[in-house]
Amino acid sequence: MLTLMLNKSLRRIFALLVLCMGLGLATVPVYAADEQSSQQQAKSMTSDADLWRAIKAGESGYSTYKGVDADILINVAGNEGKILRNTYLKPLLGLAFVGVFVAFLVFYFVNGPSTLSKGFSGKMVFRWSKADLWLHWIMAVSCLIMMLTGLVIMLGRHFLAPYVGDDIWAGIIAFSKFSHDWSSPIFMVSWLLCIIKWMPLQTVKLYDLKWFLVVGGYINFGPFKGKHPDSGFANAGEKMWFWSLAIFGLCISVSGIMLVFPMLDLPRELSMLALLVHGVSAVIIVAFTIVHIWMATVLSEGGMECMVSGYCDENWASQHHNLWYDEIKANGTLKYKE
């Protein structure tokens, strides 16, 4: 009997030990698994943070697609270029278009036009050939189309899109893009021909400095009034406009080609550089074009006739381009309109 009770007690103790060991074995792995899971989760979070930091820094990864920059999810240069364009180029373009126009409008009301001191003579002197006129107006019209459509493309979403419906805005931007792209080859060809044809007339001379010192003789008040500086076929202002058009016309043409042909498959950095160069060149050309239009039409009495008929009034020639007028009189090439 005693033996039987002892055996039962031993069995119960053994069962209790087994149960305790089982609980211990079951509990320990749970804690270990939780700790391991926490470590893996922390490691995963650290890894994700490092990955996202690398992506934002523009580091490349791996992609099965083998196009240019396919391994880069975020292009840092592209984002920085976009910020530069939106922060500086857009306001500058608006300022170039509106600011320069308003400045010359105020100048016109304060100063008035530059009139001919001796009035019109009635004698018209040959100045531009028919080929020159055609080249000028083809380049001028195509340039104006690109200017206006470029303004819509770059600034239209700010001053136009909010006031028209989505359908109308979609049509306007599509038409602007189409016109901008297809007027550009006409501009580039006419621009190149004009640069080649007119470059010999645009060499800078020492007397051009005096033209700037007296503001070209266009001021009608103060010590500058009545000053008519020496000038050859092209005055200093026209030469500055010509060389600006030559340099930045080249920049805008090359960058435009890079932007309009996606099959070139350029790196994003180069594409963004082309976009920024295109914008800077556009700002400068827009500003100079507005100045050129004001000077040729409103501020210079008799100036517009030159690019309409190819002839200028004799008194206009002697007042604004005296060295050229004296030269053609001396060498016998002076030609009057019949």
Side-chain angles (χ1 to χ4, degrees):
M1 184 67 177
L2 180 61
T3 305
L4 181 61
M5 291 176 63
L6 183 61
N7 289 337
K8 287 183 178 180
S9 298
L10 289 174
R11 284 198 297 269
R12 288 174 181 174
I13 293 171
F14 180 76
L16 182 61
L17 288 173
V18 172
L19 179 61
C20 290
M21 290 179 63
L23 290 173
L25 290 172
T27 303
V28 170
V30 170
Y31 291 144
D34 287 344
E35 184 178 354
Q36 185 178 5
S37 176
S38 299
Q39 291 176 353
Q40 289 177 349
Q41 186 176 5
K43 186 182 294 184
S44 176
M45 291 175 63
T46 303
S47 178
D48 290 345
D50 291 339
L51 175 63
W52 180 238
R53 192 177 298 110
I55 290 173
K56 290 195 294 183
E59 293 186 20
S60 60
Y62 173 77
S63 172
T64 56
Y65 178 64
K66 296 305 178 185
V68 176
D69 292 338
D71 295 338
I72 300 176
L73 291 180
I74 295 180
N75 190 289
V76 177
N79 284 343
E80 291 176 348
K82 182 180 178 181
I83 293 171
L84 286 174
R85 179 175 178 266
N86 294 336
T87 306
Y88 299 105
L89 278 183
K90 284 187 175 183
L92 281 175
L93 185 60
L95 182 64
F97 186 77
V98 178
V100 175
F101 182 87
V102 171
F104 270 85
L105 183 63
V106 171
F107 177 78
Y108 174 76
F109 282 117
V110 172
N111 182 79
S114 175
T115 57
L116 296 178
S117 56
K118 297 180 182 179
F120 290 98
S121 67
K123 296 180 181 179
M124 305 301 291
V125 177
F126 176 78
R127 181 168 171 82
W128 296 104
S129 68
K130 293 294 183 183
D132 290 319
L133 296 180
W134 275 102
L135 280 175
H136 171 269
W137 286 112
I138 290 173
M139 182 177 67
V141 171
S142 60
C143 183
L144 286 174
I145 292 174
M146 292 176 65
M147 280 175 50
L148 295 175
T149 55
L151 284 167
V152 172
I153 293 169
M154 201 163 182
L155 301 177
R157 68 176 59 186
H158 303 291
F159 72 86
L160 189 58
Y163 307 103
V164 299
D166 292 341
D167 292 340
I168 296 176
W169 169 242
I172 291 173
I173 196 67
F175 176 78
S176 298
K177 180 67 167 61
F178 176 84
S179 302
H180 195 85
D181 290 347
W182 286 99
S183 61
S184 56
I186 300 173
F187 168 79
M188 286 188 285
V189 172
S190 57
W191 165 84
L192 181 60
L193 293 175
C194 287
I195 296 302
I196 294 173
K197 196 172 191 301
W198 297 344
M199 188 178 292
L201 304 172
Q202 308 297 326
T203 55
V204 180
K205 305 293 184 181
L206 187 60
Y207 54 74
D208 290 325
L209 177 61
K210 185 179 179 181
W211 190 94
F212 285 112
L213 293 177
V214 297
V215 201
Y218 286 92
I219 304 297
N220 293 331
F221 55 86
F224 299 115
K225 184 177 181 178
K227 300 290 185 180
H228 300 301
D230 292 336
S231 178
F233 183 89
N235 61 42
E238 291 169 335
K239 291 177 182 178
M240 185 170 66
W241 158 236
F242 174 86
W243 288 111
S244 298
L245 181 64
I247 295 170
F248 294 102
L250 176 62
C251 292
I252 208 168
S253 298
V254 173
S255 60
I257 291 172
M258 294 169 64
L259 293 172
V260 83
F261 290 111
M263 67 283 297
L264 295 176
D265 211 15
L266 301 173
R268 183 66 183 275
E269 290 84 358
L270 192 56
S271 296
M272 181 52 68
L273 178 62
L275 186 63
L276 294 176
V277 170
H278 201 76
V280 171
S281 302
V283 169
I284 295 171
I285 289 178
V286 165
F288 270 101
T289 300
I290 294 173
V291 173
H292 178 69
I293 292 172
W294 269 100
M295 300 291 285
T297 56
V298 180
L299 296 181
S300 178
E301 186 179 38
M304 186 63 180
E305 181 62 29
C306 297
M307 280 301 168
V308 174
S309 65
Y311 290 83
C312 63
D313 189 88
E314 189 170 31
N315 287 346
W316 184 90
S318 63
Q319 178 171 314
H320 291 287
H321 299 273
N322 61 313
L323 298 179
W324 166 71
Y325 177 68
D326 293 341
E327 181 183 355
I328 60 175
K329 277 204 310 182
N331 61 25
T333 56
L334 176 62
K335 179 182 178 182
Y336 292 103
K337 186 177 182 180
E338 297 178 356

